[in-house]
Amino acid sequence: MPSVEISNQKAFTSEIQALTEIKHHNIVKLYGFYSNSQFSMLVYEFFEGGSLDNILKNDEQAIVFDWKKRVNVVKGVANALFHMHHCCSIPIVHRDISSNNILLGSDYEEARINDFGTAKFLNPNSNNMTTFAGTFGYAALEIAFIMKVNEKCDVYSFRVLTLEIIMGTHPAKRISSLAGNSINNDLLLSDVLDSRLSPLTKSILDDVILVAKIAFSCLSDSPQSRPTMEQLSTQLARTPKSHSEDQFHTITIGQLMRD
């Protein structure tokens, strides 16, 4: 069981409150904590695979992290966020969903959301204004500009994370170009997927297309236009539309958005 020393008392308290409230298979388990006047420490379950960020940056590990495992991780994170947003007594927003805060087991098939130091309980009687929290490149724009937080902030981060999982690297500048003209974008889906992996087989092809469609559906900068995690989790649980391998090689980003 790893322990993490926390220097920020507010983050320490937030982490304990959130992990005490949330009980879900895809959220890291908190086994205990210790605090005195010098330092505070949290004790978590140990995940041998390490962070998703490190796995994607290592070519050898990224290849082992195959398409089936990547789809499972996306579904696991979606289910955990759905639980946080819609099934807890008070909705909880993580505010820092990134590949560095997703831990995987040794087989890379099970995901756990980690690091709840910036998590926020949403008050239905408040505007939920906040200071900036999160990781640049994953944080929703409204947090940086209007300092308002809601569940759609995590949806934005989930979309970036999902793109990173299927592309094999952070989408970075590609996000703005895709968001600006996604419906008419003639870029082939096959050209943006992680080229380190073996070609998609029929058994997983439809699932990957569905995951990609969901990722691109969250591109809107407007929180009101983003789907909820309940909607995304429900979509991921459905049997995906069937495609042939020939069809796959003609699918564009614009097509995904229009279908």
Side-chain angles (χ1 to χ4, degrees):
M1 292 184 292
S3 61
V4 180
E5 187 174 330
I6 306 292
S7 58
N8 185 313
Q9 189 62 34
K10 184 177 180 181
F12 179 73
T13 303
S14 295
E15 188 107 9
I16 295 171
Q17 288 177 333
L19 292 177
T20 300
E21 172 70 22
I22 307 167
K23 303 296 180 187
H24 191 274
H25 178 70
N26 296 109
I27 292 174
V28 69
K29 293 180 177 65
L30 176 67
Y31 288 129
F33 60 90
Y34 174 80
S35 181
N36 63 23
S37 57
Q38 275 78 44
F39 70 94
S40 300
M41 183 174 66
L42 300 169
V43 182
Y44 298 102
E45 65 178 323
F46 178 63
F47 258 61
E48 302 92 335
S51 75
L52 174 60
D53 176 62
N54 286 335
I55 291 168
L56 290 175
K57 287 178 178 176
N58 182 297
D59 288 344
E60 185 177 333
Q61 291 177 295
I63 291 171
V64 176
F65 186 38
D66 60 30
W67 288 119
K68 182 179 179 181
K69 294 172 182 176
R70 296 190 189 204
V71 168
N72 285 342
V73 167
V74 170
K75 289 181 176 180
V77 174
N79 289 338
L81 289 173
F82 163 54
H83 179 82
M84 290 167 54
H85 294 177
H86 301 282
C87 302
C88 293
S89 58
I90 301 175
I92 301 172
V93 179
H94 187 279
R95 294 205 294 172
D96 196 12
I97 295 296
S98 69
S99 57
N100 195 49
N101 288 333
I102 305 298
L103 302 179
L104 302 185
S106 57
D107 57 4
Y108 299 165
E109 291 191 4
E110 289 192 34
R112 297 283 196 277
I113 298 179
N114 186 41
D115 193 351
F116 283 75
T118 60
K120 186 173 179 63
F121 288 76
L122 295 185
N123 182 348
N125 300 315
S126 166
N127 288 328
N128 292 300
M129 305 305 288
T130 182
T131 55
F132 178 82
T135 301
F136 286 105
Y138 298 89
L141 298 179
E142 63 267 21
I143 296 181
F145 291 108
I146 65 174
M147 301 298 181
K148 185 174 182 178
V149 64
N150 57 35
E151 298 97 326
K152 298 298 184 75
C153 299
D154 281 349
V155 175
Y156 183 97
S157 301
F158 172 75
R159 148 265 191 159
V160 178
L161 177 73
T162 302
L163 287 174
E164 185 174 5
I165 289 172
I166 64 175
M167 293 169 66
T169 186
H170 189 281
K173 292 182 179 179
R174 189 173 290 243
I175 290 177
S176 57
S177 63
L178 289 173
N181 194 26
S182 55
I183 292 180
N184 297 313
N185 197 306
D186 59 1
L187 181 67
L188 291 173
L189 173 61
S190 57
D191 287 341
V192 304
L193 298 181
D194 193 342
S195 61
R196 294 172 295 184
L197 299 191
S198 300
L200 287 166
T201 60
K202 178 58 182 173
S203 62
I204 195 65
L205 182 148
D206 294 331
D207 290 300
V208 172
I209 293 172
L210 175 61
V211 166
K213 180 176 175 60
I214 283 173
F216 291 116
S217 77
C218 307
L219 284 170
S220 174
D221 288 333
S222 167
Q224 294 77 17
S225 300
R226 295 175 206 148
T228 65
M229 287 311 306
E230 180 176 19
Q231 290 171 321
L232 296 181
S233 182
T234 299
Q235 287 180 48
L236 285 166
R238 291 175 181 157
T239 301
K241 179 181 176 182
S242 180
H243 299 81
S244 69
E245 292 182 44
D246 288 339
Q247 283 178 307
F248 165 70
H249 290 290
T250 66
I251 293 175
T252 66
I253 303 304
Q255 240 179 302
L256 285 177
M257 297 302 301
R258 290 192 297 270
D259 287 349

